[in-house]
Amino acid sequence: MKILIKWKIILTSALLLGPGFLKTSEAQQKFEKSVFYNVMASGDLDAINKEITIVQDAQTNNKEGYEGALLMKKAGLLAKPKQRLKFFKDGRIKLETALLADDENTEFHFLRLAIEEHAPKIVKYHSNIENDKLFIQKNFKNLSPVVQHAILDYCKNSKVLQPDNF
């Protein structure tokens, strides 16, 4: 009888606390640049949506720039043109606002270049490619190893940036 009561208490506790534990583990996911760049490279819509949530909840400075890049990447994966345009515009505003707030942020110049290089001509988002390329080349050595690695990985498929630029 005592064993049965203990099991009921354990099961009830697990059921009541279970959802709370799940929310806690999701909320504890923190923004990590290496994960961010893997998600950007993946083109996986579910992963991008999860990363957007992580960035929005992050206590990271200038998170609008990261969120903007993710929104523009997401736009390229959506089927409906109206949604594509909406997410691209929203992302563009966030990334450009982050660059206006911190024009010396080489990482945001890289994110903008990566988006610009693959943006469709109709959105007219190509005017800073050459300036961003030069800025990235100039400041590459000052970046964290994670961002340097992301740039070098990007260079493998880029027509604008080449590994020998660094």
Side-chain angles (χ1 to χ4, degrees):
M1 188 72 139
K2 289 182 181 181
I3 294 175
L4 184 58
I5 293 172
K6 285 182 182 179
W7 276 107
K8 283 183 180 180
I9 292 171
I10 291 171
L11 287 174
T12 303
S13 298
L15 289 173
L16 292 175
L17 295 176
F21 285 134
L22 290 176
K23 287 181 183 174
T24 302
S25 66
E26 287 177 12
Q28 288 177 343
Q29 289 181 331
K30 65 178 190 169
F31 177 71
E32 294 181 28
K33 287 185 183 184
S34 60
V35 174
F36 169 83
Y37 283 108
N38 287 336
V39 168
M40 284 291 290
S42 76
D44 178 350
L45 188 57
D46 289 334
I48 289 171
N49 285 331
K50 288 177 186 172
E51 192 66 17
I52 288 170
T53 301
I54 290 169
V55 169
Q56 289 171 338
D57 294 341
Q59 301 300 320
T60 304
N61 290 337
N62 298 324
K63 64 183 177 181
E64 290 79 17
Y66 299 109
E67 183 181 354
L70 287 164
L71 289 171
M72 287 189 280
K73 180 70 174 182
K74 177 179 179 172
L77 301 172
L78 298 173
K80 295 179 182 177
K82 192 173 182 179
Q83 283 184 323
R84 292 176 81 153
L85 189 58
K86 179 198 177 312
F87 279 98
F88 191 87
K89 283 182 177 180
D90 291 348
R92 181 181 188 167
I93 289 168
K94 286 184 179 286
L95 181 57
E96 292 298 327
T97 300
L99 274 162
L100 284 173
D102 185 6
D103 190 41
E104 298 298 312
N105 189 318
T106 306
E107 189 174 5
F108 289 166
H109 283 276
F110 166 63
L111 290 171
R112 181 170 65 184
L113 182 139
I115 298 295
E116 285 179 316
E117 186 174 4
H118 297 96
K121 290 182 181 180
I122 195 165
V123 296
K124 298 177 183 171
Y125 195 61
H126 301 93
S127 62
N128 293 302
I129 290 177
E130 193 58 35
N131 290 339
D132 288 340
K133 174 186 174 182
L134 295 173
F135 194 85
I136 295 162
Q137 288 173 331
K138 177 182 169 191
N139 297 298
F140 179 79
K141 290 184 172 135
N142 300 330
L143 294 169
S144 71
V146 170
V147 179
Q148 286 181 354
H149 181 71
I151 291 171
L152 293 174
D153 277 351
Y154 179 80
C155 288
K156 295 174 186 174
N157 299 313
S158 174
K159 293 179 181 171
V160 176
L161 288 177
Q162 302 302 316
D164 58 337
N165 294 139
F166 307 102

